[in-house]
Amino acid sequence: MRLRNFGLRYGKRPVLQSVNVELPEGKVNHLLGRNGAGKSSLAKALAGLIPYEGDVIGEKPPITVIGSYSQVPDDLSVSDVVEIVRRRAGAELFTPLMDGLGITELPETSKLGRLSDGQRQKMKLLFFLSGSPRTIVLDEVTNALDRTTAHEICRFLDKYLSNPGITSINITHEISDLDWIHGNYFLLEGGSIVPVTSKREIVDRYMGVAQP
């Protein structure tokens, strides 16, 4: 996926300006940025939810975006969603999703609105990944989760996103995500997106450590 002269603005205030960057297809691409840097705005633009300037080249809609604004109705039960997923995913994908996310451990009759934050996030991933998307944007999927659940989700995603043909962008401000999901590194700062060659470099730049 290539962003060419890509920009976002709220009214007259620019969020991203004239971004030119290539995010390798068939790979996991980590996009690390601070709160307020425009990460969720970028995700919403790629999903077609808000307008943008410039071009997105190489990936055609639909792009599946999983963020706080991607909702599965709270009045559905766990078993309701599982049955929908069973029909959508087919046998080959259904079992790996269920096992990888630990869905069989959740109470079947519970409504999604009564689950914990981590359990709801697992159900959301189950629902949106069951459509076998080839381009996936993950917007802060471990945000506000306890460490154990966040690590469980990251381990699942590291395996799932390594499947051939899946292009993904993992948008996060959590440095710990980089330890659990292997991929390429990009830093969102100063209204632009900068490729970074290593995990050490992106962490140092994010933390404001001077480069030698």
Side-chain angles (χ1 to χ4, degrees):
M1 177 190 297
R2 182 183 171 197
L3 305 183
R4 185 176 67 185
N5 298 323
F6 187 92
L8 288 171
R9 63 180 62 247
Y10 286 125
K12 296 183 178 181
R13 182 176 68 87
V15 178
L16 296 176
Q17 302 180 72
S18 300
V19 172
N20 289 280
V21 67
E22 185 168 351
L23 304 167
E25 297 182 10
K27 303 291 184 181
V28 177
N29 300 288
H30 293 293
L31 180 56
L32 188 68
R34 299 185 184 283
N35 289 328
K39 301 187 302 298
S40 289
S41 297
L42 172 61
K44 291 176 182 177
L46 293 176
L49 299 177
I50 60 174
Y52 60 84
E53 302 164 358
D55 301 299
V56 179
I57 302 169
E59 292 293 338
K60 303 299 182 183
I63 296 174
T64 293
V65 178
I66 304 173
S68 60
Y69 39 84
S70 310
Q71 295 297 326
V72 182
D74 279 348
D75 59 350
L76 291 178
S77 69
V78 170
S79 60
D80 290 336
V81 176
V82 167
E83 187 55 36
I84 294 169
V85 167
R86 189 191 307 275
R87 295 196 299 267
R88 292 179 67 190
E92 186 174 348
L93 180 58
F94 177 74
T95 299
L97 286 177
M98 291 287 291
D99 291 347
L101 288 165
I103 302 301
T104 55
E105 300 173 8
L106 303 184
E108 293 185 0
T109 59
S110 290
K111 303 294 187 182
L112 268 57
R114 302 298 299 271
L115 299 177
S116 69
D117 290 344
Q119 291 171 332
R120 283 200 303 273
Q121 191 70 300
K122 289 180 179 182
M123 292 301 297
K124 185 184 293 186
L125 287 165
L126 174 72
F127 181 83
F128 285 104
L129 294 180
S130 66
S132 301
R134 308 313 293 171
T135 306
I136 304 165
V137 178
L138 303 165
D139 184 8
E140 299 282 14
V141 295
T142 63
N143 189 38
L145 301 184
D146 66 83
R147 180 173 301 215
T148 298
T149 304
H151 288 176
E152 289 174 354
I153 287 176
C154 284
R155 282 193 295 265
F156 163 77
L157 289 171
D158 185 44
K159 182 176 181 180
Y160 179 86
L161 297 175
S162 67
N163 288 317
I166 295 179
T167 301
S168 60
I169 304 173
N170 179 41
I171 296 175
T172 184
H173 72 276
E174 295 284 356
I175 292 176
S176 59
D177 285 1
L178 309 186
D179 294 329
W180 295 90
I181 308 174
H182 298 85
N184 302 307
Y185 307 107
F186 296 83
L187 185 65
L188 197 162
E189 62 177 1
S192 190
I193 298 174
V194 182
V196 180
T197 57
S198 68
K199 182 165 64 178
R200 177 180 176 181
E201 181 185 353
I202 194 172
V203 170
D204 285 351
R205 291 183 61 164
Y206 186 72
M207 299 299 292
V209 177
Q211 296 297 304

